[in-house]
Amino acid sequence: AVYGPIFADFSDKIPSWLPQELYCRDKKLSTGSVLRFATTGNVFLDLAFVAENDLFFDERMALTGGSDTEFFFRFVRYGGIIHWCNEAGVTESVPVERMTLRWLAKRYFRYGSSDVLFWKLNHSIWNTLFWSSRRAVWRFIKHFLSLFVPGRKRSYYVGHIVQLARPFGVLYGLVGFSYNEYKARHCHD
């Protein structure tokens, strides 16, 4: 597989306090680097390998998100190789509805919740508890302490506040809940 960067296109002007890097998936890697996983935003796949290994998107993650990361984790487990390619970038339009602190915090909360589900589907409960907790504590400490770095732009602090939502999503997942970001929302009159 070949995976490339995804750049955000803010056709509507993004507020200056909103950190653009939270929308991009632009790894700072050399072309040819081998990755352990990818997402579906910009990837070329060998479909023969996918069919040969009976790979599929796990429907248990259909509403939570993260099924693409889990798919590529299994892709690599079955012997697939994912190469990074800086020259294979794509641009994704970011609608104005996603340019809010609320939307970003919910997205990062969901990342944490789906991280736990990913671990539960692929590892023992003890590995899930250990690694998910360890990563959540590390992320919490890192982003919390970053709030006390003086003299940064407002977007720096907003970015760390948003990323604090991820460890809380992990906690939510560890106590047995999953955040269903993709569940249909219906309006009733």
Side-chain angles (χ1 to χ4, degrees):
V2 177
Y3 184 48
I6 302 169
F7 304 104
D9 173 28
F10 302 99
S11 52
D12 293 307
K13 189 169 175 14
I14 185 169
S16 62
W17 56 266
L18 203 57
Q20 294 183 25
E21 62 273 9
L22 295 180
Y23 295 92
C24 300
R25 285 173 279 178
D26 177 19
K27 299 178 184 300
K28 305 297 183 210
L29 301 171
S30 301
T31 293
S33 297
V34 176
L35 305 176
R36 294 182 301 157
F37 61 87
T39 62
T40 53
N42 182 20
V43 67
F44 293 97
L45 276 175
D46 176 355
L47 292 180
F49 180 86
V50 171
E52 185 179 299
N53 289 283
D54 195 30
L55 290 169
F56 54 89
F57 289 94
D58 194 319
E59 291 185 18
R60 291 173 288 183
M61 297 187 84
L63 300 178
T64 64
S67 62
D68 51 353
T69 302
E70 196 275 336
F71 171 90
F72 285 107
F73 173 81
R74 285 184 288 112
F75 178 87
V76 169
R77 182 187 275 175
Y78 291 141
I81 299 172
I82 305 169
H83 291 281
W84 178 258
C85 182
N86 281 317
E87 296 77 20
V90 297
T91 302
E92 177 182 24
S93 295
V94 179
V96 69
E97 301 82 42
R98 291 186 176 186
M99 292 186 217
T100 66
L101 186 58
R102 178 184 169 95
W103 186 88
L104 278 169
K106 287 168 91 174
R107 173 57 55 105
Y108 275 78
F109 184 87
R110 193 272 292 167
Y111 287 162
S113 175
S114 62
D115 284 351
V116 173
L117 182 54
F118 163 82
W119 274 90
K120 284 180 180 178
L121 295 175
N122 292 287
H123 301 89
S124 73
I125 189 65
W126 298 112
N127 274 341
T128 299
L129 286 169
F130 176 76
W131 289 106
S132 294
S133 300
R134 181 179 176 204
R135 292 176 70 196
V137 167
W138 166 244
R139 282 187 171 125
F140 179 82
I141 291 169
K142 173 186 168 186
H143 296 297
F144 181 75
L145 292 177
S146 295
L147 297 175
F148 298 98
V149 175
R152 299 294 181 117
K153 291 183 179 179
R154 186 173 173 200
S155 62
Y156 171 87
Y157 300 109
V158 169
H160 288 288
I161 290 168
V162 165
Q163 292 190 56
L164 278 171
R166 191 170 188 158
F168 287 102
V170 168
L171 180 61
Y172 189 75
L174 285 173
V175 296
F177 296 106
S178 56
Y179 180 67
N180 295 324
E181 180 177 16
Y182 297 106
K183 186 176 180 179
R185 308 285 195 259
H186 300 284
C187 297
H188 300 285
D189 295 328

